[in-house]
């Protein structure tokens, strides 16, 4: 019997006379199909000679729009190409070679674009492209789509036209010349030959003008020393691949020391080949990436580092300068120096001590060694700043002698320690111009705030090292009303035409034997590298002066974090949520203190009930500057008597509220010296950190991180240092991997993908993490959600500390446990890291198990195994039971607790139209209640297969890539098809160092790790 019940969707339908109900009843689509929007002006269309083919195009699109409107999902109005650009094929990526240098970071790149949108950064692998992208450069693609960018030029804080801005700048320059005032260009290091020529041309015509170069994080002392000896203001470009013995005194060369980018060469020597690998000594205060990778790390204050450097100088050169090195360090320093001397030309010494005398000793030692890694010809041109000239400029500004100040690529109101003096001087400058991506701290106080394009929207050239030349080319039209610094220089120089025309003409004088089109295509040009002859310096005098260094009490050592750098990209949510490789803390900077000092001052860190990390507050005072309520991280390996703090945080201007985190440590960067005498006092309260790793040690879990020494690796059988887990089967000991609960499938046909991870080559740099974000549309969840262990990183880099001085010591302690009560107390004690622990990094993502425990427990078959070895997710099937996460031994699955896309509660890039332009159209944006995890970039592997199929050829080894393997500059991650018996990944999977994570569980992963070997 049929029902007579009346069903209704709204109370309006109960009113039979409602006009709204009648309109809805007669219209299938509530919203009118917007054909006018994409057909253009109707009157013009009717009067035009439209062909039948064009008419069918329009009608076809109207039908598509109608179909779209009928869907249950949200309606998105799309506008097709009526005249499609020939070079753009929908669904096919285009790549453009370019290079970047923002005054701090630099790299040679390939930029992936889809339908005209740059969406991902890759490394340029062509010969001559030697600099790879770090985490910040991978993240810079998101900074292009920053909604907080300066969109219009401003004159006296009001929107203005570019013609008004140009007129104001030109009239100010004329006025300055008439009144005898200075015109000063204050820029970051440009490393751009064409831009430097434009500035030089202007100065030659205007004797009252000068150019001051300012690096926010200074390398001035190293530049001064090199200039004294070699007559050129540049930095040595060290080749770590040629060094068999490396001694670093306070230089984090795997981090940002002198620009970074040394990890590729370093890793080449760290992978044991033919029984050999390089040896690395690290003397430092803060625990750094370089210290974590070292074979022997000695934690000491900067005052002791200076004495150690003089001691090494004495041993290498035979000098006898008196030193006062603490007795506790003498044996280690002497051992390092003697091995360095024995290594001769295969030895290398580097130092990060910000003292000209120290840097002179570095040059002297490497000259005596005749170090092959010491490259003084193809020098780095990426730091040119002068501390003295910047200080003099501030004095001139306050004296009223600077009439016009044109700033580009700098933010001194934020980065200068004595920014108050700069601000006071800025008030006395008649016209101040700030060319900036954002209305930052300096731009907001300037007469003119001029928006410049992002490097992905701009033309440019770079000479990152002497003898090389790179082109920066735009990959998208400018999103806002911006103008390049070079176009302004052309205007004030009275040169007609565009900067593109000028650049193309200028490049002809540099790229001899090549052409503009070839350099534009390749991205780089390598010319003849001129040799540089060494001069002389008073090295003994420098050693004597350095030996006078004394400890001034508690030292504060300032540094830059892997994610944030100098703070230019503080509004980038990818980088804010990126966990620091060592502390595993995101969304914060903090003071790092040793365990001994923490106990002395009553400072603590504790993990609370919800798994979050809490810490004490302190007040720091240095040179009369006080920073209050600075949170504390108790850092294993921090030298006693020293504390560390990261620059780049504490920004407020032109940042979303969520990004305004941390404390500005530049206020303590007095005299551009990263080491300051400081006092510390515990403050009230407790800080809540967003920390993604609660465990502090490996705690004897030797099947997770497998380690051995080079001696054992060379002299013992693999089963002793790469032990296979055994189980009992029919009362016999057999390998655990030979026993199975499931029947295996034949996977020898087609492709079968493996990812190899070499723990020797992984430095923890995190480039892979950010590349994964970009490729796979991984959402940002914010500090409070990270604190709840709800971070969405598909790829994490676990960091492990040893409880003893070595991991082998941990294993011995575990093996000597006697009885249950002893094991409980011992394991509890082993949770505390050693005072100077060994460190290991381990990238962990979905292991793509061939016998995956997640697949067997999913009630809706949302997760399944593909024939090519990838563990796949059907997001539409997932109902969020989270059984798979519970059953995963690697804890790599992520659950969408919320909708992160188009949700104002998560006001990051996915919440605005501009930020969503970075999303990869090949990867679905997941919704609330869905489980997600690493897909082994299946969209990339399938695209490679389709491309080869269309071209009718076999796939070459190396073509298959994932986002992480593509981003890895050290070769730690190698991806490929193990069914190709000649593939590199196949040989790595069969190598005696290879093992699987938690092999005894029997999951048979497709991710292979390699035993870490230390050259102790």
């Amino acid at each position: 019997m049929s029902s007579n019940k009346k069903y209704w969707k709204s109370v309006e339908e109960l009113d039979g006379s409602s006009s709204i109900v009648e309109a809805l009843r007669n219209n299938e689509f509530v919203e009118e199909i917007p054909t006018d929007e994409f057909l253009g002006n109707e009157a013009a269309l009717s009067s035009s000679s439209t062909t039948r083919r064009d008419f069918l195009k329009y009608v076809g699109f109207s039908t598509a729009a109608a179909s779209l409107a009928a869907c249950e999902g949200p309606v998105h109005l799309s506008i097709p190409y009526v005249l499609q650009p020939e070079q753009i094929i929908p669904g096919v990526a285009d790549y453009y070679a370019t290079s970047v240098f923002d005054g701090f970071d630099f790299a040679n790149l390939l930029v992936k674009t889809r339908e005209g949108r740059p969406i991902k950064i890759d490394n340029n692998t062509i010969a001559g492209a030697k600099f790879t992208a770090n985490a910040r450069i991978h993240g810079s693609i998101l900074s292009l789509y920053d909604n907080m960018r300066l969109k219009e030029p401003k004159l006296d804080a009001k929107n203005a036209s570019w013609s008004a801005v140009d007129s104001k700048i030109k009239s100010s320059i004329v006025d300055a010349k008439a009144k005898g005032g200075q015109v000063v260009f204050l820029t970051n290091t440009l490393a751009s030959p064409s831009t430097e020529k434009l500035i030089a041309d202007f100065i030659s015509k205007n004797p009252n003008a000068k150019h001051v170069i300012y690096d926010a994080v200074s390398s001035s002392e190293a530049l001064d020393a090199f200039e004294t000896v070699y007559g050129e203001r540049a930095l040595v470009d060290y080749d770590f691949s040629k060094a068999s013995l490396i001694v670093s005194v306070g230089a984090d060369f795997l981090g940002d020391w002198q620009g970074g980018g040394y990890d590729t060469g370093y890793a080449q020597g760290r992978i044991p080949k033919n029984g050999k690998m390089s040896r690395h000594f690290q003397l430092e205060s803060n625990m750094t990436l370089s210290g974590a990778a070292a074979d022997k790390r000695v934690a000491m204050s900067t005052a002791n580092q200076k004495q150690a450097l003089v001691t090494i100088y004495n041993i290498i050169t035979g000098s006898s300068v008196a030193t006062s090195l603490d007795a506790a360090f003498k044996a280690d320093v002497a051992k390092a120096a003697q091995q360095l001397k024995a290594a001769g030309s295969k030895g290398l010494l580097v130092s990060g001590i910000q003292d000209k005398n120290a840097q002179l000793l570095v040059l002297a030692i490497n000259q005596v060694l005749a170090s092959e890694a010491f490259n003084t010809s193809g020098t780095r041109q990426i730091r040119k700043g002068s501390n003295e000239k910047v200080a003099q400029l501030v004095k001139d500004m306050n004296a009223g002698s600077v009439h016009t100040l044109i700033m580009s690529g700098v933010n001194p109101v934020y980065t200068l320690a004595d920014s108050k003096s700069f601000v006071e001087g800025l008030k006395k400058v008649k016209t101040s111009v700030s060319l900036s991506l954002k209305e930052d701290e300096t731009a907001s106080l300037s007469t003119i705030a001029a928006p410049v394009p992002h490097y992905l929207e701009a033309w440019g050239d770079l000479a990152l090292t002497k003898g090389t030349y790179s082109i920066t080319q735009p990959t998208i039209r400018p999103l806002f009303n911006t103008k390049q610094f070079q176009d302004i220089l052309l205007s004030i120089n009275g040169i007609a035409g565009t900067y593109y025309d000028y650049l193309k003409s200028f490049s002809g004088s540099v790229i001899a034997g090549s052409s503009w089109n070839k350099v534009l295509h390749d991205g780089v040009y390598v010319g003849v590298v001129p040799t540089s002859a060494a001069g002389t310096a008073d090295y003994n005098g420098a050693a004597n002066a350095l030996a006078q260094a004394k400890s001034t009490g508690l030292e504060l050592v300032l540094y830059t974090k892997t994610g944030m750098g100098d703070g230019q990209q503080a509004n980038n949510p990818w980088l804010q949520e990126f966990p620091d490789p060592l502390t595993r803390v995101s969304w914060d900077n903090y003071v790092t203190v040793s365990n001994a000092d923490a106990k002395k001052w009553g400072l603590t860190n504790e993990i609370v009930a919800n798994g979050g990390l809490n810490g004490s507050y302190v007040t720091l005072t240095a040179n009369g500057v006080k920073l209050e309520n600075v949170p504390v991280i108790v850092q294993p390996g921090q030298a006693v008597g020293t504390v560390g703090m990261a620059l780049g945080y504490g920004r407020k201007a032109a940042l979303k509220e969520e990004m305004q985190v941390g404390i500005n440590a530049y206020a303590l960067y007095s005299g551009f010296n990263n080491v300051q005498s400081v006092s510390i006092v515990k403050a009230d309260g407790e800080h809540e950190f967003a920390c993604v790793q609660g465990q502090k040690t490996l705690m004897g879990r030797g099947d997770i991180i497998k380690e051995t020494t080079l001696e054992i690796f060379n002299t013992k059988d693999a089963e002793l240092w790469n032990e296979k887990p055994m189980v009992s089967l029919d009362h016999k000991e057999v390998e655990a991997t030979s026993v199975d609960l499931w029947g295996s499938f034949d996977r020898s046909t087609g492709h079968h993908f493996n990812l190899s991870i070499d723990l020797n080559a992984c430095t923890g740099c995190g480039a892979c993490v950010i590349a994964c974000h970009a490729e796979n549309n991984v959402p940002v969840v914010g500090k409070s959600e990270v604190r709840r262990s709800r971070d969405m990183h598909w790829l994490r880099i676990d960091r492990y500390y040893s409880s003893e001085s070595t991991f082998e010591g941990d294993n011995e302690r575990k093996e000597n446990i006697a009885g249950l009560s002893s094991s409980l107390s011992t394991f509890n004690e082993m949770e505390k890291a050693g005072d100077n622990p060994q460190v290991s990094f381990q990238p962990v993502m979905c292991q793509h198990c061939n016998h995956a425990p997640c697949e067997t427990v999913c009630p809706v078959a949302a997760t399944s195994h593909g024939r090519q070895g990838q563990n796949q997710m059907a997001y539409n099937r997932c109902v969020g039971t989270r059984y798979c996460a519970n059953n995963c031994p690697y804890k790599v699955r992520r659950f969408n607790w919320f909708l992160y896309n188009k949700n104002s509660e998560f006001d990051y890039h996915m919440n605005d139209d501009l930020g969503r332009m970075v999303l990869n159209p090949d990867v679905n944006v997941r919704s609330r209640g869905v489980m997600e995890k690493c897909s082994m970039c299946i969209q990339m592997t399938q695209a490679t297969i389709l491309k080869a199929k269309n071209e009718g050829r076999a796939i070459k080894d190396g073509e298959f890539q994932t986002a992480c393997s593509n981003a890895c500059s050290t070769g730690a991650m190698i991806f490929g098809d193990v069914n190709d018996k000649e593939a590199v990944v196949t040989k790595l999977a069969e190598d005696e160092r290879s093992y699987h994570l938690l092999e005894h569980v029997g999951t048979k992963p497709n991710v292979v790790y390699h035993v870490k070997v230390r050259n102790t």
Side-chain angles (χ1 to χ4, degrees):
M1 181 177 177
S2 61
S3 172
N4 292 322
K5 288 182 179 178
K6 179 172 182 174
Y7 293 91
W8 45 277
K9 291 188 290 184
S10 70
V11 291
E12 283 284 349
E13 291 189 39
L14 299 180
D15 181 1
S17 61
S18 171
S19 59
I20 296 176
V21 173
E22 188 63 25
L24 291 175
R25 185 179 294 123
N26 295 330
N27 288 280
E28 180 180 358
F29 305 118
V30 177
E31 211 175 302
E32 184 179 351
I33 300 173
T35 52
D36 288 345
E37 289 185 23
F38 50 82
L39 291 182
N41 187 297
E42 193 173 347
L45 185 63
S46 62
S47 62
S48 67
S49 55
T50 305
T51 65
R52 179 173 181 274
R53 182 180 177 187
D54 288 338
F55 177 77
L56 290 174
K57 280 186 192 176
Y58 303 142
V59 171
F61 186 74
S62 301
T63 307
S67 302
L68 185 64
C71 295
E72 291 184 7
V75 177
H76 301 285
L77 308 180
S78 58
I79 302 175
Y81 293 111
V82 176
L83 294 173
Q84 180 180 312
E86 289 183 10
Q87 67 271 28
I88 293 179
I89 303 173
V92 177
D94 291 309
Y95 291 84
Y96 297 89
T98 190
S99 292
V100 58
F101 176 55
D102 62 7
F104 192 73
D105 294 313
F106 52 93
N108 305 118
L109 309 174
L110 287 178
V111 181
K112 178 183 179 182
T113 68
R114 281 292 303 271
E115 288 75 59
R117 292 180 296 117
I119 62 170
K120 188 171 180 288
I121 298 293
D122 285 333
N123 293 317
N124 190 346
T125 56
I126 199 167
K130 61 182 291 186
F131 296 115
T132 55
N134 59 21
R136 295 185 296 271
I137 292 177
H138 279 288
S140 67
I141 193 87
L142 183 57
S143 295
L144 167 67
Y145 302 113
D146 185 351
N147 201 35
M148 301 292 286
R149 281 177 58 185
L150 185 58
K151 301 176 178 67
E152 297 280 347
K154 290 189 174 184
L155 183 56
D156 295 324
K158 295 178 181 177
N159 287 348
S161 66
W162 274 111
S163 59
V165 168
D166 286 346
S167 176
K168 176 70 174 176
I169 294 173
K170 287 179 180 178
S171 63
S172 181
I173 290 171
V174 171
D175 190 45
K177 202 167 187 178
K179 294 179 179 178
Q182 291 183 25
V183 176
V184 180
F185 293 98
L186 177 64
T187 72
N188 57 358
T189 300
L190 297 168
S192 168
S194 63
T195 310
E196 288 168 353
K197 185 177 187 304
L198 284 170
I199 293 176
D201 288 348
F202 180 84
I203 292 173
S204 68
K205 298 173 188 174
N206 299 271
N208 63 322
K210 66 178 182 179
H211 182 201
V212 177
I213 301 173
Y214 166 46
D215 296 324
V217 180
S218 176
S219 296
S220 191
E221 289 79 7
L223 292 165
D224 294 342
F226 193 85
E227 189 173 23
T228 298
V229 177
Y230 292 90
E232 176 194 6
R233 197 162 184 81
L235 296 172
V236 180
D237 187 32
Y238 299 96
D239 187 350
F240 282 81
S241 67
K242 295 179 179 177
S244 62
L245 195 286
I246 301 161
V247 178
S248 170
V249 184
D252 183 16
F253 56 85
L254 296 180
D256 296 329
W257 174 75
Q258 295 189 3
Y262 293 114
D263 48 353
T264 303
Y266 175 79
Q268 289 177 27
R270 298 297 289 172
I271 299 173
K273 295 175 185 174
N274 302 319
K276 295 181 179 180
M277 63 180 284
S278 63
R279 190 149 195 242
H280 174 193
F281 287 88
Q282 184 80 11
L283 317 178
E284 63 182 10
S285 306
N286 298 341
M287 173 67 83
T288 65
L289 292 181
S290 302
D295 297 304
K296 176 65 177 179
R297 178 181 183 272
V298 183
M300 59 169 65
S301 67
T302 306
N304 272 311
Q305 288 173 36
K306 291 178 179 179
Q307 301 298 328
L309 188 57
V310 177
T311 301
I312 295 170
Y313 171 78
N314 284 340
I315 292 173
I316 298 295
T317 65
S319 301
S320 55
V321 178
T323 64
S324 55
L325 179 65
D326 283 1
F329 305 122
K330 284 184 178 179
D332 288 328
V333 172
K335 182 179 179 182
Q338 287 157 4
Q339 292 191 17
L340 184 63
K341 187 173 184 178
S345 64
K346 292 294 182 181
L348 173 64
L349 180 132
V350 293
S351 178
I353 299 172
Q354 291 195 342
D355 185 300
K356 182 179 177 180
N357 293 319
Q359 295 302 324
L360 283 170
L361 295 192
V362 171
L363 301 178
I365 290 168
N366 286 308
Q367 285 174 356
V368 172
L369 291 171
S371 173
E372 295 176 18
F374 185 64
N375 178 11
T376 58
S377 296
T379 51
R380 291 190 170 201
Q381 306 294 306
I382 45 84
R383 297 287 186 272
K384 298 273 188 173
S386 170
N387 296 347
E388 291 181 3
K389 290 182 179 179
V390 173
Q392 185 59 49
L393 171 62
V394 176
K395 289 178 183 177
D396 291 346
M397 289 167 62
N398 279 282
S401 57
V402 178
H403 181 283
T404 303
L405 179 64
I406 300 175
M407 297 171 283
S408 175
V410 294
N411 184 10
V413 174
Y414 165 66
T415 57
L416 266 180
D418 190 14
S419 64
K420 288 182 181 178
S421 294
F422 184 87
V423 171
E424 289 302 313
L426 199 61
K427 293 174 183 176
K428 298 176 183 178
V429 173
K430 182 71 174 176
T431 303
S432 54
V433 183
S434 181
L435 293 105
S436 175
L437 275 171
K438 314 186 80 171
E439 193 172 4
D440 56 28
E441 290 81 357
T442 302
S444 60
L445 297 178
S446 300
T447 311
I448 297 172
V452 295
H454 190 272
Y455 76 89
L456 293 172
E457 304 168 310
W459 286 102
D461 63 347
L462 295 170
L464 299 175
T465 58
K466 187 185 283 188
T468 66
Y469 188 70
S470 308
I471 296 293
T472 298
Q473 65 170 315
T475 57
I476 188 173
R477 292 188 65 180
L479 298 172
F480 305 116
N481 185 17
T482 57
K483 197 170 188 177
Q484 287 192 232
F485 177 39
Q486 293 86 349
D487 282 316
I488 291 174
L489 289 172
L490 287 171
S491 177
I492 63 177
N493 273 319
I495 301 173
T498 64
Y499 176 55
Y500 168 78
D501 297 325
Y502 180 88
L503 176 63
K504 189 174 180 180
S505 173
F506 173 86
S507 68
S509 63
V510 182
I511 55 175
S514 188
S515 66
W516 167 260
N517 286 340
K518 178 168 174 52
V519 176
L520 189 64
H521 173 270
D522 294 350
V524 294
Y525 165 83
V526 180
V528 178
V529 180
T531 57
S532 56
T536 184
D538 183 7
Y539 295 130
N540 274 342
N544 277 296
L546 194 64
Q548 304 307 310
K550 303 291 182 186
S551 176
T552 55
L554 182 63
E555 286 182 0
L556 169 67
V557 183
L558 299 167
Y559 67 99
T560 53
K561 281 180 72 172
T562 306
M564 197 48 57
D566 64 349
Q568 289 185 53
Q569 296 191 72
N571 203 45
N572 190 316
W574 286 350
L575 298 178
Q576 288 281 12
E577 192 150 296
F578 172 71
D580 180 78
L582 289 160
T583 64
R584 310 295 288 134
V585 173
S586 59
W587 293 100
D588 257 318
N589 67 336
Y590 33 77
V591 168
T592 56
V593 303
S594 67
N595 188 49
D597 286 334
K599 288 180 178 176
K600 183 169 68 176
W601 300 325
L603 307 176
T604 59
N605 282 153
E606 63 173 337
I607 297 175
V608 294
N610 67 352
L613 180 71
N614 288 2
S616 303
Y617 283 116
V618 294
T619 298
L620 289 179
T621 307
N623 300 310
V625 178
K626 183 181 291 187
L627 296 184
E628 297 181 339
N629 292 331
V630 184
V632 170
I633 288 287
V634 180
Q635 175 64 58
Q638 182 78 34
V640 176
T642 70
V643 296
M645 190 174 181
L647 301 166
Y649 286 81
R651 292 190 58 185
K652 303 292 181 185
L655 265 66
K656 290 186 177 182
E657 186 178 351
E658 293 85 351
M659 313 293 177
Q660 297 176 22
V661 295
I663 293 168
N664 185 7
Y666 279 112
L668 303 179
Y669 192 34
S670 178
F672 298 96
N673 195 331
N674 70 325
V675 180
Q676 300 289 332
S677 179
V678 69
S679 65
I680 190 167
V681 177
K682 183 179 181 181
D684 295 333
E686 200 171 50
H687 186 76
E688 295 184 346
F689 289 104
C691 182
V692 298
Q693 181 163 317
Q695 67 264 37
K696 295 289 193 299
T697 70
L698 187 61
M699 208 179 83
R701 294 183 286 266
D703 53 349
I704 297 175
I705 293 271
K706 290 190 177 183
E707 290 207 354
T708 189
T709 64
L710 184 61
E711 181 186 0
I712 294 174
F713 175 74
N714 286 334
T715 59
K716 305 292 184 183
D717 291 335
E719 62 249 24
L720 295 176
W721 49 263
N722 188 10
E723 187 179 354
K724 301 298 181 185
M726 308 294 284
V727 295
S728 177
L729 178 66
D730 296 331
H731 307 289
K732 295 179 182 178
E733 286 283 303
V734 297
E735 287 191 13
T737 51
S738 66
V739 180
D740 227 323
L741 295 176
W742 295 276
S744 294
F745 294 96
D746 178 15
R747 302 188 186 279
S748 58
T749 20
H751 303 293
H752 190 90
F753 298 119
N754 266 203
L755 176 65
S756 169
I757 301 176
D758 196 323
L759 300 180
N760 261 55
C762 179
T763 64
C765 72
C768 55
V769 176
I770 303 300
C772 177
H773 266 273
E775 175 66 29
N776 295 297
N777 303 333
V778 176
V780 173
V781 301
K783 181 176 180 178
S784 62
E785 292 300 299
V786 172
R787 184 171 165 79
R788 292 180 174 89
S789 303
R790 293 176 179 174
D791 62 288
M792 296 298 293
H793 296 101
W794 282 14
L795 163 61
R796 70 177 191 262
I797 302 180
D798 285 342
R799 177 270 299 133
Y800 292 104
Y801 293 137
S802 64
S803 176
E804 303 297 313
S805 58
T806 63
F807 284 110
E808 184 55 36
D810 282 9
N811 290 333
E812 290 175 6
R813 187 173 181 185
K814 181 190 73 170
E815 288 165 5
N816 291 330
I817 292 173
L820 176 61
S821 60
S822 174
S823 70
L824 294 175
S825 60
T826 302
F827 279 134
N828 186 50
E829 290 168 7
M830 288 177 70
E831 280 297 314
K832 298 172 184 174
D835 289 334
N836 187 21
Q838 280 188 345
V839 186
S840 281
F841 297 111
Q842 184 177 56
V844 179
M845 68 294 290
C846 174
Q847 303 292 291
H848 296 272
C849 310
N850 289 313
H851 293 168
C854 56
E855 295 168 12
T856 58
V857 296
C858 182
V860 292
T863 181
S864 59
H865 212 69
R867 185 163 187 88
Q868 295 172 347
Q870 290 144 319
N871 176 257
Q872 300 171 348
M873 283 292 303
Y875 295 128
N876 269 12
R877 294 186 67 90
C878 181
V879 294
T881 62
R882 291 176 283 160
Y883 295 162
C884 57
N886 290 337
N887 220 36
C888 174
Y890 308 105
K891 301 306 168 195
V892 290
R893 291 179 162 260
R894 303 287 180 260
F895 181 67
N896 281 274
W897 291 91
F898 299 96
L899 177 67
Y900 303 109
N901 179 36
K902 299 183 184 178
N903 185 344
S904 59
E905 294 295 318
F906 299 89
D907 191 17
Y908 309 111
H909 68 288
M910 286 190 180
N911 190 44
D912 60 74
D913 290 337
L914 187 65
R916 283 194 294 273
M917 285 179 71
V918 81
L919 295 178
N920 184 357
D922 291 334
V923 179
N924 186 40
V925 178
R926 285 75 60 187
S927 188
R928 180 180 181 180
V930 168
M931 186 66 69
E932 62 181 73
K933 51 94 201 171
C934 162
S935 66
M936 210 174 258
C937 292
I938 190 170
Q939 72 280 1
M940 293 178 68
T941 56
Q942 294 309 301
T944 302
I945 292 169
L946 288 172
K947 181 182 178 184
K949 184 178 180 181
N950 288 336
E951 295 173 0
R953 60 173 177 82
I955 297 170
K956 301 172 187 174
D957 183 32
E959 279 192 85
F960 283 123
Q961 292 289 348
T962 59
C964 55
S965 66
N966 223 2
C968 184
S969 59
T970 64
M973 291 182 173
I974 302 293
F975 181 75
D977 178 9
V978 290
N979 282 344
D980 177 1
K981 298 308 176 187
E982 298 304 313
V984 173
V985 75
T986 307
K987 294 178 172 61
L988 289 171
E990 295 168 353
D991 189 90
E992 61 180 358
R993 283 205 296 136
S994 68
Y995 74 98
H996 293 109
L997 200 56
L998 302 180
E999 271 180 312
H1000 58 275
V1001 179
T1003 55
K1004 297 187 182 298
N1006 283 315
V1007 178
V1008 180
Y1009 292 88
H1010 285 75
V1011 174
K1012 188 175 181 73
V1013 180
R1014 293 188 188 269
N1015 192 358
T1016 53

